[in-house]
Amino acid sequence: MPDDQALLQIVDAALAEAARKSGAWLVCRPGCTGCCMGPFPITQLDARRLREGLAELESCDRQCAARVRERARQTVARIWPDFPGDTATGVLGEDEEAEERFAALAEDGPCPALDPATGTCDLYAARPITCRIFGPPVRCGSEAVGVCELCFREASDEEIAACQVEIDPQGMESRLSDELERTTGAHGQTIVAFALVAAGAS
């Protein structure tokens, strides 16, 4: 996915700049897993990247890939009865009721990609955009993404704003998502567990 790789380079470069600006305010480190708990919506572009990342992992470490797949299956089984969307595809519902049901899941389990022994991501290179941008202050178009509650403690709004960067100034993620929908029919948001279970079924 050369276009997706270009997107990741843009996002990762922006995050590196945000980290440089943030300095000691930014306390995110390997093993800090607070942001890896509970399900969160991801795009179909993220889902495709995760599936490809899992396939790459399987080619070099089959046992690790099998553990990721099993954790994904367990997560899907746990939330299946209350999943606010299509359980056949893993696509989340888009109406207000579905959004309320998703918020009510209150699933505190770890992301299936998280290795519980090391506190690190087994699919780090393929992680969703949301995972890449969480922590420092970033902006996507007119929307600002909240900083991690563990970071920027006692920082003023002005100090936080001074560290903010734009992560996708050309709107590349949206264009790639639209293209993916046109070419594959994949649409709607899903969650990491369903994306990885789908990888096992393919």
Side-chain angles (χ1 to χ4, degrees), residues 24 30 46 59-60 84 103 152 172 181 202:
D46 289 324
S59 69
C60 62
F152 291 88
M172 183 179 244
E181 182 173 341
S202 60

Side-chain angles (χ1 to χ4, degrees), residues 15-69:
L15 263 292
E17 175 63 8
R20 185 193 68 76
K21 288 182 172 184
S22 299
W25 291 118
L26 191 64
V27 298
C28 303
R29 297 289 183 273
C32 180
T33 62
C35 58
C36 305
M37 299 295 163
F40 55 92
I42 63 171
T43 66
Q44 291 295 327
L45 187 63
D46 289 324
R48 182 174 71 171
R49 187 185 316 114
L50 280 167
R51 289 191 290 268
E52 292 180 354
L54 184 55
E56 290 178 15
L57 179 62
E58 189 156 32
S59 69
C60 62
D61 191 338
R62 292 178 65 100
Q63 290 184 337
C64 182
R67 291 192 295 271
V68 172
R69 289 185 194 277

Side-chain angles (χ1 to χ4, degrees), residues 67-137:
R67 291 192 295 271
V68 172
R69 289 185 194 277
E70 180 56 27
R71 292 194 298 263
R73 281 192 290 269
Q74 290 176 2
T75 299
V76 167
R78 190 165 54 246
I79 67 174
W80 183 283
D82 301 311
F83 184 70
D86 187 338
T87 52
T89 63
V91 173
L92 290 163
E94 297 180 353
D95 58 24
E96 186 175 342
E97 180 186 351
E99 291 178 2
E100 290 174 357
R101 288 175 57 204
F102 185 75
L105 279 179
E107 168 61 43
D108 293 329
C111 174
L114 182 69
D115 182 335
T118 64
T120 57
C121 180
D122 284 333
L123 298 174
Y124 188 76
R127 68 198 186 281
I129 296 293
T130 295
C131 304
R132 291 172 185 272
I133 67 173
F134 191 75

Side-chain angles (χ1 to χ4, degrees), residues 139-152:
R139 188 178 65 258
C140 186
S142 60
E143 183 177 344
V145 178
V147 299
C148 172
E149 63 183 13
L150 301 178
C151 301
F152 291 88

Side-chain angles (χ1 to χ4, degrees), residues 122-197:
D122 284 333
L123 298 174
Y124 188 76
R127 68 198 186 281
I129 296 293
T130 295
C131 304
R132 291 172 185 272
I133 67 173
F134 191 75
V138 299
R139 188 178 65 258
C140 186
S142 60
E143 183 177 344
V145 178
V147 299
C148 172
E149 63 183 13
L150 301 178
C151 301
F152 291 88
R153 290 192 169 180
E154 299 181 13
S156 68
D157 291 343
E158 291 76 17
E159 287 170 317
I160 294 173
C163 301
Q164 192 176 80
V165 298
E166 170 66 51
I167 59 165
D168 183 14
Q170 303 303 317
M172 183 179 244
E173 182 183 20
S174 179
R175 290 200 307 275
L176 291 179
S177 293
D178 290 345
E179 180 182 342
L180 181 65
E181 182 173 341
R182 285 194 305 272
T183 57
T184 68
H187 68 280
Q189 293 184 311
T190 185
I191 63 172
V192 171
F194 268 106
L196 297 177
V197 165

